[in-house]
Each structure stands twice: as C-alpha cells, then as structure tokens.
Amino acid sequence: MDDRKKQSQSDFLEETIKKRPVNKQKVVRRMIEVSLLAILFGAIACATIVLLSPVLEKMIFREEEEETESQVAEMDFAEDSLEVVAEEIQPEDMLAEDVQEEPEETVVIVEETMTAQQIVEEEARLFSELAESCADWLVTVRGVSSNESWLESSLVSASEYSGAIVTESDTDLYILTNSGSLSRADYIELTFVDGTTAVGTICEEDSNSGLMVLRVSKEDLSAETLEEVSVAVFSSSNLKSNLGSRVLAVGNPMGVSGSYVSGTITAMGIEASSWDINYKVLMTDIYASQSPQGFLVNLRGYIVGVLCNDYNSADTGNILSALGITELKKTIELMCSGSEIPRLGIQGTDVTAAANEQEGVPLGAYVTEVLLNSAAMSAGIQIGDIVTAVDETEISGMSDLTSCLLSYRAGDSVTVTICRLSQGVYREIELHIIL
C-alpha cells in the first residue's frame, strides 16, 4: 500500500506543464483591430487639425500683430521724446558735440550755425516790428517847471516819463503814466508817435501804484496824428501760460526814452502789499535800469504789466519787474473817469485754509497794517482783525476786498464786518465807515 502511494507521488512529480498553444488567428485579428483603431484616431486628429488651424492661426497672428503694434507705439513715443529733447538743446551745444564726435561733417555744422543765426535774426526782426507797433500808443510825457532865479533869468527843467494811450472818448485821449513829479510841474507836454506835441491835464493820481492818468483834447491834435495813434490793449497778467513766455519791455526800460528790450517772464508768484491791494509782480530775466518806466507787452503787443522795480529785493535791483495789469485795471478805469480812489487804509493778507481748518481762524482779509489817519483807523480797525464782509459782500481774501472797495466811490458809507480775537474766541463786529 505504501509502495502504491509512493509510486503515484513520483508519477505526479514527473508530469510536465505544457504551454497553451498560441492561437494565430486571434493574434492576427487583434493586430488588424489595433491598426484600424490607429488609422481611425489618425483620421480624427487630422480632421481636428484641419478644422482648428484657421482659428489657431488667427489667435497666433493676432498676438503677434498686437505685440508689433505695441512696439511701434513705443518707438513713436521715443521718437517724440527725442524731438522734444532736440528742441531744448541749444544750437551752440549741438555744434560743440558735432565737432568733437564727427569732425568730418563740417558742412552739416555750418548749416546748423546758419540756421541758428537765422533764428536769432528772425527773433530780432519780430521784436523790432513789435516795438514799432507799440510806438503807436506810446507817448513821451514831460513835466516842465520854470522858475525865476535871483538873476531874473528863466530856468526851465523837465522830467521825462513814458506813457500809454489806454482809452479814448469822443473828445479826449487818456494817457497812463508814472506820476513822479508831474503834479508839481507848471505844465505837462505830450509827444506822440509822429512827433506832434500837445499839453495834457491831470485826471487823477493813484498814490499806491505811483501812476497817473492824463487827458488831452482831440481838438489839440491834427487829423493826421489821430490817424497815426492807437489805443493800447490789456491782456490778463494772471494767466499761467505767461510764466516762461517771451515779452518785450517798451517805453523807457533802459533809462533812455524810446528804448526797448526783450526777455522772458521768470516768476509770477511774488505779491507786493500796498494799501487796500496786493499787487502781483511779474519778474523777468531782463537786466535794465533800476528805475525803469514803460510797459511789459506780450508777443501780440498787449500790455501785461507796468514796469516797476520798487518791490525788488536788494540783490535784484536791476532785474526788470512789472506790476500785473489785472490788479491795476479797475484803478485805471476810475482814474480815467476822474474819480478819486476809495480808500479803507489797511494792508493785509489772505487767511490760509490750513489756519481756518486747524485753528478756526475765520476766512477773510487779515489786517497786517493800518494807515495813519485813514478811514480804517478812525473806525477802530486794529492789526490782527479779519475783514469778512463789506455791506452784503462776503470777503474771503485781499483780492475780494480790493474788488469790493473799488466798486464804491470815495465818500460812500459802508458797513465793514470784522472778526476780532477776544479771550480765545473770534467775535464779529460791525463798523460803519466812510471811505
């Protein structure tokens, strides 16, 4: 029995496991299926590419076009910047650089030098023609005084000023000029563009600006002279575009009658305080007389300022300045009408927004000085008071106060509202004042 079991076990161990035979038909079928699937997927991929290629091309080329356009825009901007820089470079600087870097281009350098010379000549011609056109409304003013000396000989002295015809009526011409010593002269002689002379009379004088308006009858002038002369035109002196603009000083800027000089307005932020008005001062780069007379005109020949160096500092005594014509216009109109300038008699400044918001200081004209024996002093206005209203007109600064006062006549009675600091609190006070 044991022998049979052993024999059967040995027979089992000697058996071999044979591999399953390969079915060739099945393999060939599988290969055919895979090939068909590959062909199908390839066809789908080709169709997809064919259908989507126009869309992809548009997207790709659009990005390239946008990128190209942005590059062109940047190049155009750069070219514009280069043009601006080139305009700011002075011709002599360009000449020096050309000589150092490319000395062989001698012909080009000569052409640039000639162009610069032509520019200078053209500017000189422009200012010469501008000065000639201004001469039509310019007037030479002479105050003549005669005295008998102890030897009974007549001594005649004359002071000369520059004037401008600022308006006219049916019967008269009105000339704006510096007052100087004209009020003490025996008579005032006016000389017009054609050399004609006539005697002028004083309309009114403004002690603040030192200006005066004279009147001459048209009957004293020939028809030919009246054809030759013209009336000056005013332009705003407060335009921001005035800063850096080219101007011409005419009249007597160099201390010689009939002189003129050109330059550039270099500063406009200077304020000159006077009684009841703050003038805007236009400063130029022009070196002129310390006591200039005349007018500052723009390139259109319009007056933007009246020459005045009274408010210059010690180190700018010869730098030509002018009072802005905008602040003077109303005063000139009153003088032409022969009206006395109404006066309150204060100097002041504007209350700043910061002082109003942080310290509670009322907005208005802050009084810094009070004129002796003035209407303001008689009414009791003090330094430190703030003028906030005149009658029903609110005052937010000195320019408002000036405009308001010049709308009245000397002798008018007004109610001036002031704020005065008392025990840490600003209290309103109404004062009745005769200007």
Side-chain angles (χ1 to χ4, degrees), residues 262-280:
S262 63
T264 304
I265 294 177
T266 56
M268 293 176 55
I270 305 169
E271 279 198 354
S273 182
S274 191
W275 300 114
D276 304 324
I277 188 171
N278 286 346
Y279 298 113
K280 299 291 179 59

Side-chain angles (χ1 to χ4, degrees), residues 4 53 62 154 223 245 247 275 302 325 338 352 363 380 423:
R4 286 178 185 174
S53 62
R62 182 182 302 166
S154 178
S245 64
V247 287
W275 300 114
Y302 298 165
I325 199 66
T352 63
L363 293 176
Q423 297 179 347

Side-chain angles (χ1 to χ4, degrees), residues 247-250 252-255 260-267 281-297 306-309 312 316-323:
V247 287
L248 187 71
V250 296
N252 190 352
M254 307 301 292
Y260 69 88
V261 60
S262 63
T264 304
I265 294 177
T266 56
V281 178
L282 307 178
M283 181 169 283
T284 72
D285 60 356
I286 301 171
Y287 190 87
S289 169
Q290 289 191 358
S291 301
Q293 297 173 30
F295 306 90
L296 201 65
V297 301
V306 178
L307 303 186
C308 178
N309 281 12
N312 285 18
T316 59
N318 285 95
I319 301 300
L320 191 66
S321 299
L323 300 181

Side-chain angles (χ1 to χ4, degrees), residues 120-135:
V120 173
E121 292 176 350
E122 181 65 19
E123 185 181 65
R125 183 190 62 79
L126 170 66
F127 282 122
S128 177
E129 292 179 354
L130 187 60
E132 288 182 9
S133 66
C134 292

Side-chain angles (χ1 to χ4, degrees), residues 15 40 46 73 78 173 184 187 213 233 236 268 270 278 280 354:
E15 288 180 358
L40 178 62
C46 292
L173 295 178
R184 300 189 299 272
Y187 66 95
V213 169
V233 179
S236 174
M268 293 176 55
I270 305 169
N278 286 346
K280 299 291 179 59

